[in-house]
């Protein structure tokens, strides 16, 4: 039994089950017809504006899905946003350019765009050449994309995915070309650069919520509602547990000590 | 001034790349294409010798280990490696339109296993451990002498309230008004302050990189410093 299950991590199983239940509850509500009100996310709303601007100016839209492979959850999330951006460019008849640095991302992005263009009734406008492979090398890729941006002068740049030291190089090139830039990443240490150099930024969790927001799919929005329950519980824990810990330590109340021990064990992995 | 050809080539390529600061030009284009071509070729060769050869060829044909190292011990044959090798070969079917749909299988396998693996890891390290580290000290921090460490207590209070406000910013099923909206806006303020501090720190490290390049140009190449 112990070879199959690590029973000492019961708390992790409990938390995962509770999180899953919250998401299931949100999705079930959406299937039942409940449509949650979602607050405005400025970065997501700016995407349509960016594509519209590119169409009016007759200049291309650039999309960079980060510099990581498909085994990074941010790249997977970026494919969802790419689908939405692809539908926008297909509807507007705008040229989309997407350089990639991984062969798997190249293959996945072509599939996503082909489906997007077909979904809006413009399969003839889709061309596999929209997505190109540059190099697996981080700075080789950045140098090439910077050159492409400088020459093609896109009106909109979407930097959506996991970025590292090349983030500012790409964002700065886009800003220099006068593009309206919408960035999104959950890579904490690159967010400051993108906030400084881009017009709109999807910060961390917003980046993962963007696809649900863009698609308007009730089930995905219901999933957001379930995730919000988890976040609200986390906020309550963040505010409540320090008070309990303090009471247990300063006042010496037994019940507070027991509650503290239970909650801290629940959170310990 | 250096007489080494390697340093002259490095210096010339550095200047070509830096010329992008002025504008796009043929020198930058040359450096860009050289960089992309060399890096793509280098990584392809590295991918073969550091990934495909030891993880596939050698595990199927152990004697192949002696090709790169004549004194290497022969490993056991691992036929299970045929499964990932088969999935990898399916990727190549993308080149034949009639069979290209099969290339979706390895992609689906990579995405599915990654998401499943990362789910537990993310909940553990990005959620539970972060909350635990924030709440475990409580709000009342004692000093070594037994009294109250007011600076540490204030710091802990800011950390707890700031983290809770920042997390509240990432809830979506609420309006942007009222008390909850105010808390979320406070969270955004906390995030921006953190980004500002992080940006300033990172700018310093980028300046260090620039200084390193200038030292190379002025010292190793021109011999001026």
């Amino acid at each position: 039994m112990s070879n199959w299950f690590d029973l000492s991590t019961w708390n992790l199983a409990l938390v995962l089950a509770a999180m899953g239940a919250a998401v299931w509850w949100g999705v079930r509500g959406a299937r039942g017809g409940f449509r949650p009100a979602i607050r405005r996310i400025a970065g997501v709303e700016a995407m349509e504006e960016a594509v519209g601007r590119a169409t009016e100016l007759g200049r291309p839209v650039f999309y960079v899905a980060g510099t990581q492979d498909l085994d990074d959850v941010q790249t997977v999330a970026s494919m969802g946003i790419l689908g939405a951006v692809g539908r926008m460019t297909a509807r507007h008849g705008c040229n989309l350019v997407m350089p990639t640095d991984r062969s798997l991302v190249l293959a996945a992005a072509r599939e996503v765009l082909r489906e997007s263009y077909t979904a809006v009734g413009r399969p003839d406008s889709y061309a596999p050449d929209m997505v190109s492979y540059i190099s697996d090398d981080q700075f080789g890729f950045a140098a090439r994309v910077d050159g492409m941006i400088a020459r093609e002068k896109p009106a909109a740049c979407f930097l959506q995915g996991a970025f590292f030291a090349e983030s500012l190089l790409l964002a700065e090139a886009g800003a220099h070309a006068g593009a309206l830039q919408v960035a999104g990443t959950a890579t904490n240490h690159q967010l400051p650069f993108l906030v400084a150099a881009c017009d709109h930024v999807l910060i961390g969790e917003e980046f993962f919520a963007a696809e649900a927001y863009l698609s308007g799919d009730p089930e995905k929005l219901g999933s957001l509602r379930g995730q919000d329950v988890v976040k609200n519980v986390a906020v309550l824990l963040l505010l409540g547990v320090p008070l309990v810990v303090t009471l247990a330590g300063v006042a010496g109340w037994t019940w507070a000590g027991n509650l503290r021990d239970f909650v801290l064990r629940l959170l310990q992995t | 001034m250096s007489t080494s050809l390697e340093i002259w080539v490095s210096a010339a390529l550095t200047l070509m790349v830096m010329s992008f600061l002025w504008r796009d030009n043929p020198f930058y284009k040359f450096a860009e294409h050289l960089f992309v071509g060399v890096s793509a070729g280098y990584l392809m060769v590295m991918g073969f010798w550091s990934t495909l050869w030891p993880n596939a060829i050698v595990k199927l044909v152990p004697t192949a280990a002696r090709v790169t190292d004549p004194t290497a011990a022969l490993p056991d044959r691992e036929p299970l490696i045929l499964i990932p090798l088969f999935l990898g070969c399916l990727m190549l079917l993308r080149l034949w339109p009639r069979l290209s749909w099969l290339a979706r299988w390895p992609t689906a396998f990579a995405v599915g296993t990654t998401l499943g693996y990362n789910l537990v890891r993310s909940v553990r390290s990005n959620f539970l451990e972060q909350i635990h580290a924030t709440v475990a000290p409580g709000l009342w921090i004692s000093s070594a002498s037994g009294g109250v460490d007011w600076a540490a207590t204030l710091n802990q209070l800011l950390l707890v309230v700031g983290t809770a406000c920042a997390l509240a910013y990432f809830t979506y099923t609420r309006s942007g008004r009222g008390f909850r909206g105010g808390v979320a806006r406070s969270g955004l303020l906390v995030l921006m302050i953190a980004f500002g501090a992080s940006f300033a720190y990172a700018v310093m490290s980028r300046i260090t990189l620039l200084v390193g390049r200038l030292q190379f140009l002025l010292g190793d190449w021109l011999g001026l410093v």
Side-chain angles (χ1 to χ4, degrees), chain A residues 37 39 71 104 107 111 135 137 140 143-144 151 165 192-193 203 205-206 228 231 234 238 246 264 269, chain B residues 24 28-29 32 36 39 43 91 94 104 114 124 129 132 139 160 167 169-174 195 202 206:
Chain A
R39 75 166 166 88
D71 61 357
L104 271 179
E111 292 281 341
S135 166
D137 183 77
R144 176 70 180 142
R151 272 158 235 144
F193 298 118
I203 301 168
E205 242 287 308
E206 286 182 329
D228 273 7
K231 287 173 207 160
L238 281 166
T246 306
L264 290 183
T269 58
Chain B
D24 187 35
Y28 176 77
K29 278 182 193 165
E32 171 197 320
V36 171
S39 64
L43 286 170
M91 285 297 294
R94 193 168 292 281
R104 291 177 188 164
T114 299
R124 187 193 292 249
E129 285 181 7
H132 185 275
L139 293 173
V160 167
L167 188 55
Y169 172 74
F170 292 107
T171 53
Y172 304 105
T173 47
R174 60 163 174 77
F195 291 160
R206 296 296 172 96

Side-chain angles (χ1 to χ4, degrees), chain A residues 9 12 15-16 19 36-39 41 70-73 76 103-104 107-108 111 114 133-137 139-140 142-144 146-148 150-151 165 168 173 188-193 195-196 203-206 209 224-225 228 230-232 234-235 237-239 241-243 245-246 250 264 266-269, chain B residues 20-25 28-29 32-33 35-36 39-40 43 91 94 100-101 104 106-107 110-111 114-115 118-120 122-125 127-132 134-140 156 160-161 163-165 167-176 180 188 191-192 194-196 198-199 202-203 206:
Chain A
T9 57
L12 191 60
V15 169
L16 278 169
M19 292 169 96
I38 302 294
R39 75 166 166 88
I41 302 176
L70 264 188
D71 61 357
D72 189 300
V73 70
V76 176
S103 55
L104 271 179
E111 292 281 341
R114 187 167 61 189
Y133 170 78
I134 305 295
S135 166
D136 274 49
D137 183 77
F139 291 110
R144 176 70 180 142
D146 276 4
M148 289 169 78
R151 272 158 235 144
L168 192 56
N188 295 342
H189 48 278
Q190 297 306 318
L191 273 167
F193 298 118
V195 168
I203 301 168
E205 242 287 308
E206 286 182 329
L224 280 187
R225 185 177 169 221
D228 273 7
V230 176
K231 287 173 207 160
N232 286 330
V235 169
L237 284 173
L238 281 166
L239 295 175
V241 177
L243 284 176
V245 171
T246 306
V250 176
L264 290 183
L266 192 68
L267 296 171
Q268 199 164 33
T269 58
Chain B
F20 190 65
L21 290 170
W22 166 56
R23 56 182 290 185
D24 187 35
N25 62 76
Y28 176 77
K29 278 182 193 165
E32 171 197 320
H33 286 85
F35 197 176
V36 171
S39 64
L43 286 170
M91 285 297 294
R94 193 168 292 281
S100 63
W101 59 276
R104 291 177 188 164
T107 308
V111 172
T114 299
L115 292 182
N118 283 336
L119 175 69
V120 176
S122 294
V123 169
R124 187 193 292 249
S125 60
F127 189 69
L128 293 180
E129 285 181 7
Q130 299 293 329
I131 297 176
H132 185 275
T134 307
V135 301
L139 293 173
W140 198 264
Q156 178 65 9
V160 167
V161 174
T163 307
C165 290
L167 188 55
Y169 172 74
F170 292 107
T171 53
Y172 304 105
T173 47
R174 60 163 174 77
S175 69
R180 293 180 69 190
L188 186 60
L191 288 171
M192 289 303 153
F195 291 160
S198 179
F199 184 81
V203 166
R206 296 296 172 96

